[in-house]
């Protein structure tokens, strides 16, 4: 089964609107540790992109369709956003996370711009320096940080191995 081109265009347009909001949010809280909890809003909004990509990817005929990569990449952004929203005592680490998320969101925008490319081509658009920074940041989070906030249910934990698995799925 192939995905209707118009549905993909609608997904990209909606996602780009969300990316604009995400960048505005990050730029608005950059350097202001008192706004740390707003990173959960980032996680919620990037989760919408992830969910849309994941649902559309179910209709993709190719396992290398860009939607799979966009979904997994957005999942990493969501995890970092939710985990960073729980930082309580490390303003410098907060600043690093916000900067990483700004870069990640811009890369997510690039992935959306190239949604008609296959996964292996898209992997080339993700800078190696970003991947190294993502690995470093993810290693700084202890198991105490959850990947969801305020749901009322038991918080989900994202182990380092889960982050590594997502990176492997992305081929990074």
């Amino acid at each position: 089964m192939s995905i209707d081109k118009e549905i993909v265009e609608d997904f990209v347009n909606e996602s780009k609107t969300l990316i604009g909001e995400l960048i505005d949010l990050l730029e608005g809280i950059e350097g202001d540790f008192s706004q740390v909890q707003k990173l959960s809003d980032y996680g919620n909004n990037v989760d919408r992109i992830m969910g849309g990509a994941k649902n559309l990817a179910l209709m993709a005929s190719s396992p290398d369709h860009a939607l799979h990569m966009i979904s997994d990449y957005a999942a990493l952004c969501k995890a970092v956003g939710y985990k960073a929203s729980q930082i309580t005592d490390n303003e410098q680490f907060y600043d690093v996370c916000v900067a990483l998320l700004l870069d990640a969101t811009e890369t997510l925008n690039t992935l959306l711009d190239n949604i008609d490319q296959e996964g292996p081509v898209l992997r080339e658009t993700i800078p190696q320096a970003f991947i190294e920074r993502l690995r470093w940041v993810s290693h700084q989070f202890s198991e105490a940080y959850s990947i969801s906030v305020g749901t009322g249910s038991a918080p989900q934990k994202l182990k380092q191995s889960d982050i590594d698995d997502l990176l492997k799925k992305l081929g990074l």
Side-chain angles (χ1 to χ4, degrees), residues 68-142:
H68 295 288
M69 177 173 256
I70 290 167
S71 171
D72 292 338
Y73 188 87
L76 285 170
C77 294
K78 172 184 147 181
V80 172
Y82 280 153
K83 285 184 170 218
S85 75
Q86 299 164 61
I87 297 170
T88 57
D89 59 356
N90 191 336
E91 192 168 334
Q92 290 80 18
F93 185 50
Y94 164 80
D95 291 338
V96 167
C97 289
V98 170
L100 176 76
L101 289 172
L102 274 165
D103 289 347
T105 305
E106 289 170 5
T107 299
L108 184 56
N109 195 45
T110 300
L111 294 175
L112 288 163
D113 285 340
N114 294 288
I115 198 162
D116 55 343
Q117 302 293 319
E118 290 291 315
V121 174
L122 281 180
R123 281 183 199 91
E124 300 300 317
T125 66
I126 301 174
Q128 187 61 39
F130 167 76
I131 296 162
E132 291 166 13
R133 285 173 50 214
L134 176 64
R135 283 198 174 112
W136 181 85
V137 163
S138 68
H139 283 285
Q140 304 310 304
F141 290 115
S142 70

Side-chain angles (χ1 to χ4, degrees), residues 11 15 46-58 65-79 108 111-112 115 122 166 169-170:
F11 164 75
S15 295
V46 82
D47 184 39
R48 292 171 55 195
I49 296 171
M50 181 194 79
K54 193 173 281 204
N55 285 331
L56 286 176
L58 295 172
H65 195 285
L67 287 163
H68 295 288
M69 177 173 256
I70 290 167
S71 171
D72 292 338
Y73 188 87
L76 285 170
C77 294
K78 172 184 147 181
L108 184 56
L111 294 175
L112 288 163
I115 198 162
L122 281 180
L166 277 171
K169 275 180 73 178
L170 287 167

